[in-house]
Amino acid sequence: MSDTAILEIVELADGEVVLRPSEAEGEPLVSIRFSEEALDLLRQSRFEVARQMIDHAITRTRLWEGNEEESQEVPETVH
C-alpha cells in the first residue's frame, strides 16, 4: 500500500460534490450539498465553487503530517 493517497473531487448524480479516495468505497471524506436557492445563484459554477471550498479547507488545515511550515493565523470570515 502506498503512503500517497490519491483523492478525487466528483459531482454525484444528486448534485452533491464529494472528496473521496479515488479507489475507495464508502463514505466520502468531505461532502458539499447546495440548497436549491444556492444552485439557482451558482448555476454552472457550482462545481468550481465546491472545488474551491474543498481546496481552501485542505490548505487551511493540517490534513497531512510532516508539514514543517508554521501556519500563519488568518482571521476567518463567516458569510
Side-chain angles (χ1 to χ4, degrees):
M1 184 170 191
S2 172
D3 289 343
T4 304
I6 298 175
L7 304 176
E8 63 183 357
I9 300 172
V10 296
E11 185 172 0
L12 303 178
D14 65 358
E16 183 176 24
V17 178
V18 299
L19 173 68
R20 64 184 183 196
S22 64
E23 300 202 9
E25 295 292 325
E27 189 174 352
L29 301 170
V30 174
S31 64
I32 298 172
R33 182 180 306 262
F34 294 106
S35 69
E36 289 299 320
E37 182 180 0
L39 288 173
D40 287 343
L41 294 170
L42 295 172
R43 300 177 195 226
Q44 298 301 317
S45 62
R46 69 180 178 268
F47 183 80
E48 180 62 22
V49 169
R51 190 185 68 74
Q52 289 292 326
M53 292 169 69
I54 292 169
D55 182 58
H56 186 75
I58 289 170
T59 59
R60 303 262 296 183
T61 61
R62 299 176 194 206
L63 293 179
W64 289 274
E65 293 181 22
N67 185 358
E68 295 180 12
E69 293 181 26
E70 290 293 323
S71 63
Q72 297 178 346
E73 286 193 32
V74 178
E76 294 185 27
T77 303
V78 178
H79 296 275

